């Protein structure tokens, strides 16, 4: 079945690194995504990784994929107060529609 | 701003009324998706259009829900005989293909009293 799990809450100090974790169940997932949602707003696409990759880096963001364990993580370096938001992991189900299955989101709180 | 837009941003209605939401995708995107998000949860897929064709509907989309994309551009989502359980954020997203990521609008927050 299709299921994506995330821890619900993470609190870090400004300047520290944040690591948000996600597990998924569909081993045939082709792409995995990270989205950011600020209060009252829609979802902002942060980054994505193809399932044949192990790592992708984009400025302060590093995505790690362990396909064997079906584990995805998002590392934010030098976390800032503006990074406080809810972060969603999503998997793309194979087939032509490209619909996304989302986790329940991880609330990141950045303390000054 | 050439992002995805949605109207209205907020809608308050009484139980039993009909409501209609509109989504304008990014102009060159031929794929359009509707999702529903309830408090504390991630978005759940409702339906998908490729151009004007509705190619997939979730089991969440009961008979009271209907979506259209008549000219392959904007889309509407109508809910008939609203129920309190329909209260949620309705999100629209668009993309050019199945893999490059979907771009979301700000959502329409529906409150059914």
């Amino acid at each position: 079945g299709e299921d994506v799990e995330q821890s619900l809450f993470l609190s870090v100090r400004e300047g520290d690194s944040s690591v948000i974790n996600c597990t998924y169940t569909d081993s045939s997932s082709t792409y995995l995504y990270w989205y950011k949602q600020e209060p009252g707003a829609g979802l902002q696409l942060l980054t994505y990784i193809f399932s044949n990759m192990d790592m992708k880096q984009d400025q302060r963001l590093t995505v790690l994929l362990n396909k064997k364990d079906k584990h995805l993580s998002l590392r934010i370096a030098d976390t800032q107060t503006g990074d406080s938001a809810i972060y969603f992991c999503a998997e793309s189900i194979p087939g032509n529609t490209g619909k996304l299955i989302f986790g329940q989101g991880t609330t990141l709180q950045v303390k000054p | 701003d050439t992002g995805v837009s949605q109207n209205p941003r907020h809608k308050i209605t009484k139980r039993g009324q009909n409501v209609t939401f509109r989504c304008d995708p990014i102009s060159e995107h031929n794929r359009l998706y509707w999702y529903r998000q309830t408090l504390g949860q991630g978005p759940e897929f409702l339906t998908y259009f490729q151009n004007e064709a509705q190619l997939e509907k979730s089991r969440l989309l009961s008979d009271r829900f209907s979506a259209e994309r008549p000219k392959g551009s904007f889309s509407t989502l109508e809910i008939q005989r609203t129920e309190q359980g329909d209260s949620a954020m309705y999100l629209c997203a668009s993309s050019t293909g199945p893999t490059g990521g979907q771009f979301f609008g700000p959502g329409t927050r529906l409150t059914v009293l």
Side-chain angles (χ1 to χ4, degrees):
Chain A
E2 306 154 355
D3 196 18
V4 178
E5 300 266 343
Q6 297 179 240
S7 52
L8 295 182
F9 186 78
L10 176 66
S11 181
V12 300
R13 292 263 175 219
E14 192 173 17
D16 288 348
S17 292
S18 308
V19 179
I20 302 170
N21 295 300
C22 169
T23 56
Y24 59 97
T25 56
D26 195 323
S27 57
S28 57
S29 294
T30 51
Y31 281 82
L32 295 137
Y33 301 85
W34 284 103
Y35 282 86
K36 175 183 179 183
Q37 187 175 38
E38 296 183 76
L43 278 73
Q44 175 192 352
L45 177 63
L46 289 177
T47 187
Y48 60 93
I49 188 167
F50 186 47
S51 58
N52 69 351
M53 297 169 64
D54 297 325
M55 185 182 86
K56 181 178 180 182
Q57 188 156 0
D58 185 359
Q59 299 182 335
R60 292 191 297 123
L61 305 179
T62 303
V63 178
L64 295 177
L65 175 60
N66 181 329
K67 197 172 180 183
K68 175 177 169 289
D69 293 339
K70 299 187 191 122
H71 182 266
L72 183 73
S73 67
L74 174 70
R75 177 176 179 269
I76 305 173
D78 186 25
T79 314
Q80 304 296 307
T81 53
D83 295 325
S84 294
I86 302 175
Y87 290 79
F88 291 95
C89 165
E91 61 176 346
S92 175
I93 301 304
N96 198 37
T97 68
K99 70 180 180 185
L100 299 178
I101 305 298
F102 285 86
Q104 68 269 53
T106 299
T107 298
L108 175 64
Q109 178 189 67
V110 182
K111 296 179 180 177
Chain B
D1 188 341
T2 57
V4 178
S5 62
Q6 292 186 245
N7 287 288
R9 292 292 307 277
H10 303 273
K11 179 70 178 178
I12 300 173
T13 192
K14 292 182 179 178
R15 191 176 52 183
Q17 297 295 305
N18 299 344
V19 293
T20 301
F21 310 140
R22 176 178 169 128
C23 170
D24 287 90
I26 295 171
S27 59
E28 62 268 26
H29 288 185
N30 62 344
R31 292 170 175 254
L32 187 146
Y33 304 81
W34 285 98
Y35 292 83
R36 181 173 71 186
Q37 184 180 23
T38 52
L39 200 61
Q41 300 298 316
E44 295 173 293
F45 170 77
L46 291 179
T47 191
Y48 157 69
F49 289 86
Q50 185 164 341
N51 299 311
E52 66 275 9
Q54 187 175 21
L55 297 183
E56 186 170 347
K57 291 194 291 186
S58 162
R59 286 170 294 182
L60 292 175
L61 216 64
S62 75
D63 291 345
R64 296 184 297 105
F65 288 70
S66 63
E68 293 183 340
R69 194 183 182 197
K71 297 182 181 178
S73 56
F74 73 91
S75 175
T76 57
L77 177 68
E78 181 184 16
I79 310 174
Q80 295 183 325
R81 305 181 303 283
T82 52
E83 301 172 356
Q84 287 184 323
D86 297 331
S87 295
M89 175 80 89
Y90 290 84
L91 294 163
C92 176
S94 69
S95 72
T96 54
T99 58
Q102 295 171 22
F103 295 86
F104 281 79
T108 295
R109 181 167 296 284
L110 173 65
T111 302
V112 182
L113 302 176

